[in-house]
């Protein structure tokens, strides 16, 4: 009896870890559009105004475009000339890496062209990342 | 999809070195003030470079060149607006004036980079803008306002990173100019020109 309970708890834990890993991978690869669309992103889109001096969702500017950024390897957006520092950073953009980078770009990737002190407010970063997560190809802001 | 907009960037204006008449100075709203201030702020840089570490100097150069790249893009964006045929004469005059400010920013920032022993980035041969979305004067003003708003944040984010305080002061002077552009454009759009007390 005890063995069965221990086994069931053990199996539950294994499956939970496994599923969380898959979820994290899918999220990193931008494969969860249904989930992302349910996130309220108005605040994040509002914060995105601070990015518009250099970035745009749909086209490369002084900074690279943001459509499809989730799951993308840093420094890999076609048609944009990145700093060597970002290309060699080997970062892949997901919620965690974006949060670290947006908090202090030049500390996480010394030598990046994104010479911006960073966003210290974790809540603002989270909302901004919520919006970035919605910017999959086909999003109206990507047109 | 955004269309490709090819932009020939005109030669930088040198008119800022001319001494205007008192009347024309007031009529122009003191346009010389920014460049004169910025250049004065930047004039003492050479002496201070010797005390800055090479690594920090490289960071300062990187920051300024990113700013120059954005300023070149702003010049191209205003050129697009000016040539769109969508702007009424008073708005067109404002757009050309703001474009002139961005050219002055480039001049001042280029001098700063050179004083640090480096070269400034050149403008791109082509810039991408959402041309197909610009169908009215309001569209052009909204687009320009979004760029100016973003520029305020870009300078606000760059200022704390400078090693040399003279560069921070010069960047703050440019930030103030970008903020005024944003406010004027919002006013022209019928929006509250200063919609808050703080901006980051």
């Amino acid at each position: 009896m005890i063995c069965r309970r221990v086994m069931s708890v053990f199996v539950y834990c294994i499956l939970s870890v496994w599923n969380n890993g898959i979820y994290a991978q899918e999220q990193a690869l931008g494969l969860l559009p249904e989930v992302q669309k349910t996130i309220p992103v108005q605040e994040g889109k509002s914060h995105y105004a601070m990015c518009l001096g250099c970035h745009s969702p749909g086209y490369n500017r002084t900074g690279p475009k943001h459509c499809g950024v989730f799951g993308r390897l840093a420094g890999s957006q076609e048609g944009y000339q990145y700093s060597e520092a970002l290309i060699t950073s080997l970062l892949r953009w997901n919620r965690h890496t974006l949060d670290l980078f947006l908090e202090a770009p030049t500390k996480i990737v010394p030598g990046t062209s994104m010479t911006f002190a960073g966003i210290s407010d974790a809540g603002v970063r989270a909302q901004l990342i919520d919006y970035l997560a919605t910017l999959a190809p086909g999003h109206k802001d990507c047109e | 999809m955004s269309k490709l907009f090819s932009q020939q960037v005109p030669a930088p204006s040198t008119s800022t070195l001319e001494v205007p008449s008192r009347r024309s100075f007031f009529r122009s709203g003191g346009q010389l003030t920014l460049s004169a201030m910025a250049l004065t702020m930047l004039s003492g840089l050479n002496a201070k470079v010797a005390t800055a570490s090479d690594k920090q100097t490289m960071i300062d150069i990187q920051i300024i060149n990113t700013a120059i790249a954005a300023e070149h893009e702003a010049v191209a964006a205003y050129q697009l607006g000016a040539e769109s045929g969508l702007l009424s004469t008073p708005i067109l005059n404002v757009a050309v004036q703001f474009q002139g400010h961005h050219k002055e920013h480039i001049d001042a920032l280029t001098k700063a980079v050179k004083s640090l022993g480096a070269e400034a980035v050149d403008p791109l041969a082509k810039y991408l803008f959402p041309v197909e979305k610009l169908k009215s004067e309001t569209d052009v003003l909204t687009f320009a306002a979004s760029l100016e708003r973003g520029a305020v944040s870009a300078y606000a984010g760059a200022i704390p990173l400078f090693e040399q305080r003279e560069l921070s002061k010069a960047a703050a002077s440019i930030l103030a100019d970008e903020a005024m552009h944003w406010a004027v454009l919002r006013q022209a759009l019928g929006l509250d020109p200063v919609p808050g007390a703080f901006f980051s």
Side-chain angles (χ1 to χ4, degrees), chain B residues 69-146:
Chain B
E71 294 283 359
H72 278 307
E73 189 182 40
V75 169
Y78 275 109
Q79 190 68 30
L80 169 67
E83 293 176 350
S84 68
L86 297 169
L87 302 183
S88 60
T89 301
I91 297 294
L92 176 62
N93 291 340
V94 169
V96 171
Q97 183 189 21
F98 289 179
Q99 184 191 46
H101 293 171
H102 288 290
K103 289 176 182 176
E104 291 185 49
H105 299 166
I106 292 169
D107 290 346
L109 292 166
T110 298
K111 283 186 172 69
V113 167
K114 288 184 176 176
S115 77
L116 295 172
E119 289 298 317
V121 292
D122 292 323
L124 299 180
K126 294 173 182 175
Y127 287 94
L128 281 170
F129 294 120
V131 178
E132 75 286 353
K133 292 181 181 176
L134 306 179
K135 296 175 180 172
S136 67
E137 183 171 88
T138 297
D139 292 340
V140 175
L141 286 170
T142 302
F143 174 59
S146 73

Side-chain angles (χ1 to χ4, degrees), chain B:
Chain B
M1 290 295 292
S2 299
K3 294 177 183 173
L4 203 60
F5 176 73
S6 182
Q7 165 67 25
Q8 291 288 331
V9 178
S13 165
T14 55
S15 63
T16 57
L17 298 177
E18 296 173 2
V19 179
S21 68
R22 181 184 174 87
R23 175 178 292 180
S24 68
F25 177 82
F26 284 113
R27 194 169 54 225
S28 66
Q31 291 173 35
L32 301 189
T33 308
L34 176 68
S35 63
M37 270 183 60
L39 291 174
T40 302
M41 289 171 180
L42 296 167
S43 63
L45 277 176
N46 281 329
K48 297 181 180 181
V49 170
T51 61
S53 70
D54 287 347
K55 184 181 174 184
Q56 282 298 335
T57 300
M58 291 303 293
I59 291 171
D60 284 353
I61 291 166
Q62 175 80 71
I63 298 167
I64 300 168
N65 264 329
T66 298
I68 291 173
E71 294 283 359
H72 278 307
E73 189 182 40
V75 169
Y78 275 109
Q79 190 68 30
L80 169 67
E83 293 176 350
S84 68
L86 297 169
L87 302 183
S88 60
T89 301
I91 297 294
L92 176 62
N93 291 340
V94 169
V96 171
Q97 183 189 21
F98 289 179
Q99 184 191 46
H101 293 171
H102 288 290
K103 289 176 182 176
E104 291 185 49
H105 299 166
I106 292 169
D107 290 346
L109 292 166
T110 298
K111 283 186 172 69
V113 167
K114 288 184 176 176
S115 77
L116 295 172
E119 289 298 317
V121 292
D122 292 323
L124 299 180
K126 294 173 182 175
Y127 287 94
L128 281 170
F129 294 120
V131 178
E132 75 286 353
K133 292 181 181 176
L134 306 179
K135 296 175 180 172
S136 67
E137 183 171 88
T138 297
D139 292 340
V140 175
L141 286 170
T142 302
F143 174 59
S146 73
L147 298 185
E148 298 286 8
R149 165 68 182 91
V152 171
S153 291
Y155 278 105
I159 286 169
L161 298 178
F162 281 116
E163 165 74 5
Q164 300 183 46
R165 290 192 177 187
E166 292 303 310
L167 289 172
S168 294
K169 285 168 62 181
S173 174
I174 295 174
L175 183 157
D177 184 57
E178 312 277 16
M180 285 188 276
H181 291 178
W182 183 46
V184 168
L185 293 170
R186 283 182 60 87
Q187 177 86 17
L189 283 163
L191 301 171
D192 181 352
V194 188
F198 301 98
F199 294 94
S200 58

